[in-house]
Amino acid sequence: MGKDEQYMNKKSLQVKIGKLTLKNPVMGASGTFGYGVEYKKFFSLGDIGGFVTKGLSIEPRKGNPGPRIKETPCGLINSIGLENIGVDAFLGSVIPQLRDIDTKIIVNIFGTEMEEYVELARRLNKLKRIDGLEMNISCPNVKAGGAEFGKDPLVVQTITRKVRDETDKALIVKLSPMVTSIIDIAISAQRGGADAVSIANTYPAMAIDIKSGAPFLGAKSGGLSGPAIKPVTLKLVYDTYGRIDIPIIGVGGISTVEDIIEYALAGASAVQAGTANFINPCATPQLVKQLDKYLSDAGIQQFKSLIGSAFR
Amino acid sequence: MKLTHNGIVTSIERIKRDYILLSVRIDDPPVFNPGQFMMIQISDAPNSYDPLLLRPFSIFREHNRVYEFLIKVVGRGTQAIADFRNGRRILVTGPYGNGFPAIVTPHPVIAAGGAGIASVFAFVQQLHSKGIAYELLYGARTSGELILPELMKQYNPLISTDDGSRGYHGRLTGLLKTRIKNNSTIVACGPMPMLKSVKDIAVRHGIKCYLSLEARMACGFGVCLGCTIFDVEGNTKRVCKEGPVFDAREVSFGRQADKDH
């Protein structure tokens, strides 16, 4: 086998998230990837490591009044308000369209009460096609529950344990960046039985329309994403690495292959690209290709050898 | 059909003070329906991500693999486009959205207010080339603000100006009232207050009416949910996916419409 072929060997990109083996570390982030099916017309979903669906609740939600988005320098504030089709429609109309897709499918779940998370986990656990659950305990766009769950270590441990008891799937907890100590919250998720943590969600943010003098967004405030937040979330990953035994999935402003490398060096075992999908729907498969080339050019045999190397 | 394209800017023509006509060559040209739109990359990514998002524009015209977009310069993004240089390589995605319905006979009346001409023009062209009779009503505040009057001439527009400097003196909707018949179908694009009046006229006369809406959107293909509107029944509709062309009966002109204009 020639040197190039050796590096092209898919195993070089493989990573493990709990019991899940991802063919590569690049996933699409929740809230930017629809239910996956929307991307079928752009590329083969089998090219990416996995994707996380739009946050799903038991009942469908219509979301917030507009305007719902505001561009900021290198960033995007959104206040979608967790609009989603609800679990019944997801099981009935989306899952059949995902049957033949050769990638890991992670369903993001949220509720305003613990019992909703538990019920969602119970219902989704029966589905073979779903590989994992990501608990959103951190969205700034719902007033009840949501972010509040994510701020109290004991609550995080309890809710994670309750969901853990209902599911055999890989269980990921998506953390809020707006907490006193993200390490404490990550430890709580681990104690609750999580297989991994996603660090992190968007940052509470707003814009004011100086002509009207009122908040720009219909919901007044939202969550900031995009390249603007990358250095901030990168530090949260760096701070948490080594303090927990479960893998970290880096989520925050990833747009280039260099961003992926930085997150890996900081301690992320895998990454999710979010806002980048809006500015190029083929962002995720392109990142996989660029990552493969990057490793090969740098003579790095295994992506996973990079994880946390900034500490060495 | 491929939905992501490498485009090359072939010209930026300034039309009046705040309009430009952007031409982009796409070597793998997609088929589109009039009323559909494409997303245009503005930033110099990956070197710069500012302005971050692509911007949606109706396809104004296409010939020989060159797609034209008539753009009103209103903010940072559109100003950055106005400053593009020929030869710039940009990502273009789409076409997205539904476009205008194929059949609007027997008596299509197309009402374009101001920049609204950008989204209905391809439709007018299509009717024209198919030899289908139509009426084009084209309104602006003043004759000086009419965009591309020479190009429009061949489509025999009935002009309205708010100040009476050309054509019908008054609002476009005033002119519209004088032109519709029982069998008309209205197709309209323009500012929200105008579209609201157009809908009222259509409802009062019990005639079919389609409105092309504008919205802020991040993706253009239905995943960001940034452009979601609530219809008259309170159901969610994505302007990029279920629209941008809606049956006027579905469109609710609530608080949102007031806020945007």
Side-chain angles (χ1 to χ4, degrees), chain A residues 4-19:
Chain A
D4 285 351
E5 286 165 49
Q6 201 179 325
Y7 293 138
M8 286 303 287
N9 183 340
K10 290 248 161 133
K11 283 224 161 76
S12 64
L13 294 177
Q14 266 183 15
V15 291
K16 287 200 81 164
I17 299 294
K19 61 193 147 193

Side-chain angles (χ1 to χ4, degrees), chain A residues 62 68 71 80 83 215 279, chain B residues 52-55 225 228 234:
Chain A
K62 289 178 179 177
R68 291 174 163 198
E71 187 183 75
I80 308 307
E83 178 185 342
I279 59 180
Chain B
L52 182 70
L53 301 170
L54 282 64
R55 295 291 194 273
L225 309 183
T228 299

Side-chain angles (χ1 to χ4, degrees), chain B residues 209-238:
Chain B
C209 177
Y210 297 95
L211 305 177
S212 176
L213 303 188
E214 191 177 36
R216 281 170 194 276
M217 54 186 72
C219 70
F221 53 93
V223 296
C224 78
L225 309 183
C227 66
T228 299
I229 55 167
F230 299 105
D231 69 12
V232 286
E233 288 171 355
N235 297 316
T236 57
K237 294 275 158 72
R238 293 165 294 184

Side-chain angles (χ1 to χ4, degrees), chain A residues 225-239:
Chain A
S225 66
I229 70 166
K230 195 207 77 186
V232 193
T233 303
L234 183 69
K235 181 173 185 296
L236 294 178
V237 170
Y238 184 83
D239 288 348

Side-chain angles (χ1 to χ4, degrees), chain B residues 195-255:
Chain B
L195 295 184
K196 184 178 188 302
S197 304
V198 171
K199 175 183 174 170
D200 292 344
I201 292 165
V203 169
R204 210 172 308 131
H205 289 79
I207 57 177
K208 270 194 206 156
C209 177
Y210 297 95
L211 305 177
S212 176
L213 303 188
E214 191 177 36
R216 281 170 194 276
M217 54 186 72
C219 70
F221 53 93
V223 296
C224 78
L225 309 183
C227 66
T228 299
I229 55 167
F230 299 105
D231 69 12
V232 286
E233 288 171 355
N235 297 316
T236 57
K237 294 275 158 72
R238 293 165 294 184
V239 171
C240 74
K241 196 85 183 175
E242 286 77 44
V245 179
F246 292 94
D247 186 319
R249 286 171 300 186
E250 292 178 54
V251 180
S252 164
F253 292 91
R255 196 181 65 83

Side-chain angles (χ1 to χ4, degrees), chain B residues 18 29 34 36 39 42 118-119 124 145 153 163 181 239 246 258:
Chain B
D18 49 0
Q36 283 193 297
M39 302 286 290
I42 298 171
S119 72
V124 171
E145 290 183 32
K153 250 185 204 164
D163 69 349
K181 305 174 196 165
V239 171
F246 292 94
D258 299 335

Side-chain angles (χ1 to χ4, degrees), chain B residues 87-108:
Chain B
R88 185 185 175 101
R89 290 171 183 278
I90 54 171
L91 174 69
V92 181
T93 68
Y96 295 134
N98 53 0
F100 294 106
I103 302 162
V104 292
T105 49
H107 182 237

Side-chain angles (χ1 to χ4, degrees), chain A residues 184-261:
Chain A
D184 290 349
I185 305 288
I187 290 170
S188 299
Q190 176 177 301
R191 284 190 183 140
D195 295 305
V197 287
S198 292
I199 297 176
N201 210 315
T202 56
Y203 295 77
M206 75 183 301
I208 293 177
D209 181 349
I210 58 170
K211 278 187 208 145
S212 71
F216 182 89
L217 296 170
K220 297 188 172 64
S221 67
L224 181 67
S225 66
I229 70 166
K230 195 207 77 186
V232 193
T233 303
L234 183 69
K235 181 173 185 296
L236 294 178
V237 170
Y238 184 83
D239 288 348
T240 310
Y241 183 77
R243 307 296 293 270
I244 52 174
D245 303 319
I246 54 176
I248 297 167
I249 301 168
V251 199
I254 290 163
S255 316
T256 65
V257 64
E258 289 82 5
D259 295 338
I260 297 175
I261 302 296

